[in-house]
């Protein structure tokens, strides 16, 4: 089956530009990520329209709540028919297990992945909330917990991909943002990696936003990246 590696982040405040971009892309070449901003503004209706165009959706809502509430939210996401959904690993073992159990019986269970530590959290931010471990130690600890609770993988920085691939096995899905193709602007990202380097480090899927969404020809930008990683359709 065709398994596009690129997930395009639809970071928009309304449905119109998201749908306009989708019109210019092709589902054989990418998947689409809908996050908190677009989903809060446009709701399930925008997912439905994107799916009508044939796109598979990563619903990036990072659920983090008591086990029952998180489980019911994941079940609701599964009922919407999304391809991937996520939770915060910091919700702990009971929450992660409840989330995984809640989607097993869906007619088409989405891939359930977890956010380990937000990459915006540096050492001093962890200390502020009483965590003495380093960000890298926390990422490994939370990824291991995620895997042991039966989830499919984690969102991680490409810098962490090799370490997680080594420790969490070949089947564990690694989804990495912070990707910048050759010659693309860094925007507000700092520690970036090229698409090819991220895949070589062990990443399975690359979340890419502005290098495609802000391009004058988004389809061409996507085709160029697919070419860079050796995907030719
Ligand atoms: O435009 P850009 O390629 O930077 O978009 C990256 C996407 O990945 C955005 O939706 C951003 O919120 C998300 N993301 C990120 N870094 C993380 C986690 C998610 O850039 N650590």
């Amino acid at each position: 089956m065709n398994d596009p590696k690129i997930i395009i982040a639809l970071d928009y405040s309304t449905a119109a530009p998201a749908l306009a971009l989708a019109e210019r892309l092709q589902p054989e070449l990418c998947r689409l990520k809908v996050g908190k901003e677009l989903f809060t503004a446009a709701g399930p209706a925008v997912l439905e329209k994107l799916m009508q165009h044939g796109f598979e959706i990563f619903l990036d809502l990072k659920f983090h709540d008591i086990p029952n509430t998180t489980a019911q939210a994941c079940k609701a996401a599964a009922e919407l028919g999304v391809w991937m959904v996520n939770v915060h690993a910091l919700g702990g073992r009971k929450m992660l297990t409840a989330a995984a159990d809640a989607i097993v019986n869906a007619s088409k269970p989405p891939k359930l992945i977890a956010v380990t530590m937000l990459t915006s959290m540096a050492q001093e931010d962890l200390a502020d909330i009483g965590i003495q471990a380093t960000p890298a130690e926390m990422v490994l600890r939370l990824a291991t917990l995620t895997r042991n609770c039966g989830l499919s993988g984690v969102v991680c920085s490409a810098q962490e991909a090799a370490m997680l691939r080594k420790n969490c096995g070949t089947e564990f899905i690694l989804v990495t943002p912070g990707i910048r193709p050759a010659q693309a602007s860094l925007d507000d990202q700092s520690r970036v990696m090229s698409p090819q380097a991220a895949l070589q480090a062990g990443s399975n899927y690359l979340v890419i936003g502005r290098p495609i969404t802000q391009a004058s020809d988004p389809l061409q930008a996507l085709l160029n990246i697919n070419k860079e990683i050796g995907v030719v359709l």
Side-chain angles (χ1 to χ4, degrees):
M1 200 203 103
N2 178 36
D3 182 25
K5 298 288 169 206
I6 312 290
I7 304 174
I8 301 181
L10 297 182
D11 292 322
Y12 295 108
S13 59
T14 60
L19 296 171
L21 180 73
E23 295 271 359
R24 301 179 68 179
L25 299 170
Q26 293 168 13
E28 300 74 33
L29 299 176
C30 62
R31 295 183 168 100
L32 303 176
K33 178 170 91 70
V34 173
K36 288 185 167 106
E37 182 187 14
L38 180 58
F39 191 76
T40 302
V46 73
L47 302 183
E48 213 165 289
K49 288 191 186 125
L50 294 168
M51 288 189 289
Q52 274 165 13
H53 281 89
F55 289 98
E56 291 191 311
I57 308 293
F58 170 16
L59 185 60
D60 179 19
L61 297 182
K62 301 185 181 70
F63 297 130
H64 188 177
D65 212 310
I66 59 170
N68 182 59
T69 303
T70 302
Q72 294 306 324
C74 289
K75 191 163 168 243
E79 282 161 10
L80 291 174
V82 300
W83 165 74
M84 178 177 274
V85 63
N86 60 358
V87 297
H88 269 285
L90 280 168
R93 184 186 300 277
K94 290 191 197 112
M95 190 207 80
L96 292 169
T97 307
D101 288 350
I103 57 165
V104 213
N105 293 323
S107 58
K108 215 177 134 220
K111 294 182 194 308
L112 178 62
I113 62 168
V115 175
T116 55
M117 291 308 299
L118 292 170
T119 48
S120 52
M121 301 280 280
Q123 185 80 66
E124 61 270 25
D125 301 303
L126 298 193
D128 274 346
I129 56 170
I131 296 175
Q132 302 310 326
T134 66
E137 285 166 348
M138 285 304 291
V139 166
L140 180 56
R141 186 185 186 108
L142 291 167
T144 304
L145 177 67
T146 297
R147 192 198 54 189
N148 292 344
C149 290
L151 281 74
S152 301
V154 290
V155 183
C156 67
S157 107
Q159 270 80 13
E160 297 156 354
M163 180 264 290
L164 292 178
R165 177 59 64 223
K166 186 162 149 259
N167 284 280
C168 298
T170 52
E171 299 298 304
F172 201 59
I173 296 176
L174 303 178
V175 178
T176 55
I179 302 296
R180 285 297 176 270
Q183 274 117 41
S185 150
L186 291 185
D187 304 305
D188 57 356
Q189 298 280 12
S190 51
R191 294 184 305 134
V192 303
M193 210 183 262
S194 74
Q196 210 173 17
L199 292 175
Q200 273 161 7
S203 174
N204 298 95
Y205 299 107
L206 312 175
V207 174
I208 305 182
R210 288 159 292 180
I212 293 171
T213 60
Q214 307 294 308
S216 53
D217 185 344
L219 178 59
Q220 192 56 52
L222 174 60
L223 287 167
N224 291 345
I225 297 170
N226 272 327
K227 195 163 160 219
E228 207 176 313
I229 59 173
V231 178
V232 185
L233 285 180

